[in-house]
């Protein structure tokens, strides 16, 4: 009898783990675009649309009209910023019509560590300018170099490489304001009158759309020296007030430092595209 009860409990726990591991939230009721959305890397025109996701340490906002879906992602978490700028971020659009119409936009593109001299100059400039304003300027200078986006199919095969200013209806812009990383995106919706656009979300107002955010695993950053390896395990947090998610290992002599990136971002949500009233 006890073994039977234990089996039932085990099955229930297994089912619960499956349900909670998908990482998707409930359907988000989108709003019809009522004001102009300028894709400029600034979140001020998104104040009423952003929703905080505490477990992901990001805020998301969506709105649409009959032609475009508009999206804004904001985070103050430096590890999330490091993940997205070093490993790249893929935003997937998965329509309810089926995965064969899925495509992704990879932006920002992966960026290797900048040369040491560039980092030293940036640190010197920040010290001279002082405060958050100096840091904002430096980070924005780095983000301005992100001037291309990659269009992927569901197998992550590259379909096209587009400039962020293009004729295909897709607009994207990064910004860093008051310690907040901002990512804005505009993507065409399915519309018979927009046949000139090569890439469109295969969804229309009134339909559900799954949007998934994915970063790939970045290599761990290595400090000076050589020797012992990286601390084992992932996603842990350092004690004290450091940036969450980094683990530090010290080699012989204490000169070697390696930092392990946290688990890649893998979050999806269901958005119900709004209809004009």
């Amino acid at each position: 009898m006890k073994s039977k009860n234990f089996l039932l409990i085990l099955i229930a726990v297994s089912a619960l783990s499956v349900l909670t591991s998908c990482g998707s939230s409930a359907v988000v009721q989108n709003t019809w675009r009522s004001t102009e959305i300028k894709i400029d890397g600034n979140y001020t025109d998104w104040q009423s649309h952003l929703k905080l996701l505490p477990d992901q340490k990001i805020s998301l906002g969506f709105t649409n009209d009959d032609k475009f879906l508009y999206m804004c992602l904001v985070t103050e978490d430096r590890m999330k910023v490091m993940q997205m700028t070093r490993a790249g971020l893929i935003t997937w659009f998965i329509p309810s019509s089926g995965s064969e119409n899925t495509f992704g936009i990879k932006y920002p593109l992966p960026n290797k560590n900048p040369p040491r001299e560039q980092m030293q100059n940036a640190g010197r400039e920040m010290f001279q300018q002082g405060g958050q304003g100096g840091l904002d300027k430096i980070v924005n200078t780095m983000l301005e170099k992100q001037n291309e986006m990659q269009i992927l199919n569901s197998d992550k095969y590259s379909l096209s490489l587009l400039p962020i200013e293009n004729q295909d209806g897709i607009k994207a812009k990064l910004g860093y304001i008051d310690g907040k990383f901002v990512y804005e995106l505009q993507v065409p919706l399915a519309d018979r009158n927009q046949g000139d656009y090569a890439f469109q979300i295969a969804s229309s107002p009134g339909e559900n759309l799954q949007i998934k955010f994915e970063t790939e695993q970045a290599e761990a950053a290595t400090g000076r020296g050589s020797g012992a390896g990286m601390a084992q395990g992932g996603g842990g947090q350092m004690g004290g007030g450091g940036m969450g998610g980094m683990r530090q290992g010290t080699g012989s002599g204490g000169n070697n430092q390696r930092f392990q990136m946290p688990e890649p971002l893998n979050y999806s949500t269901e958005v119900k595209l709004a209809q004009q009233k």
Side-chain angles (χ1 to χ4, degrees):
M1 184 69 177
K2 290 183 178 181
S3 61
K4 182 178 180 181
N5 290 337
F6 177 77
L7 181 60
L8 291 174
I9 293 173
L10 182 61
I11 293 173
V13 170
S14 300
L16 180 62
S17 65
V18 171
L19 290 172
T20 57
S21 64
C22 62
S24 297
S25 65
V27 175
V28 176
Q29 183 64 50
N30 195 24
T31 57
W32 187 264
R33 184 183 66 83
S34 57
T35 59
E36 180 184 5
I37 298 293
K38 188 175 181 180
I39 308 300
D40 57 0
N42 193 323
Y43 66 94
T44 54
D45 50 356
W46 285 91
Q47 297 288 1
S48 60
H49 297 288
L50 291 173
K51 178 182 179 181
L52 176 64
L53 307 174
D55 58 328
Q56 298 295 324
K57 299 181 181 179
I58 61 175
S59 294
L60 283 175
F62 303 98
T63 187
N64 70 275
D65 50 31
D66 60 333
K67 295 182 178 180
F68 298 100
L69 170 71
Y70 305 86
M71 184 203 84
C72 182
L73 182 152
V74 180
T75 182
E76 295 182 75
D77 186 77
R78 294 182 181 181
M79 289 307 299
K80 282 286 191 297
V81 177
M82 185 181 295
Q83 281 181 315
M84 291 185 283
T85 54
R86 287 192 60 203
L89 173 67
I90 305 174
T91 304
W92 295 102
F93 301 96
I94 308 169
S96 56
S97 58
S99 59
E100 67 275 6
N101 293 317
T102 295
F103 76 96
I105 297 175
K106 192 167 189 176
Y107 179 79
L109 295 175
N111 181 31
K112 295 181 180 180
N113 288 332
R116 180 179 297 179
E117 182 179 355
Q118 179 182 344
M119 292 299 293
Q120 290 174 342
N121 290 338
R124 190 178 303 111
E125 183 180 349
M126 183 178 69
F127 178 78
Q128 292 172 350
Q129 295 178 10
Q132 183 65 48
L135 178 60
D136 289 355
K137 181 178 179 180
I138 292 168
V139 176
N140 275 299
T141 299
M142 297 174 64
L143 295 180
E144 285 173 2
K145 297 179 180 179
Q146 289 280 351
N147 51 21
E148 291 181 316
M149 69 183 84
Q150 197 172 21
I151 309 300
L152 308 175
N153 68 6
S154 58
D155 296 322
K156 292 188 178 180
Y157 178 81
S158 178
L159 300 176
S160 182
L161 186 66
L162 299 176
I164 59 172
E165 295 291 337
N166 57 75
Q167 302 299 317
D168 288 277
I170 300 176
K171 295 182 180 180
K173 187 66 175 177
L174 302 173
Y176 196 76
I177 304 171
D178 298 329
K180 296 181 176 64
F181 174 87
V182 183
Y183 172 24
E184 286 187 291
L185 185 64
Q186 168 191 299
V187 189
L189 294 173
D191 190 333
R192 296 177 182 177
N193 298 322
Q194 298 189 137
D196 292 338
Y197 293 148
F199 306 103
Q200 300 178 14
I201 298 173
S203 299
S204 300
E207 297 179 345
N208 287 354
L209 171 69
Q210 183 182 4
I211 300 177
K212 180 180 178 182
F213 302 93
E214 176 189 357
T215 56
E216 298 178 290
Q217 185 70 59
E219 295 180 0
T222 306
R224 294 182 300 169
S226 59
M230 188 184 304
Q232 297 297 316
Q237 290 192 347
M238 293 175 61
M243 290 188 293
M246 299 180 76
R247 286 198 172 191
Q248 177 177 323
T250 304
S252 57
N255 292 326
N256 181 65
Q257 290 183 335
R258 289 190 175 189
F259 299 100
Q260 180 171 338
M261 297 295 290
E263 289 298 317
L265 175 66
N266 191 342
Y267 177 79
S268 65
T269 184
E270 292 278 342
V271 175
K272 184 175 180 59
L273 298 175
Q275 291 179 297
Q276 188 174 22
K277 294 181 181 180

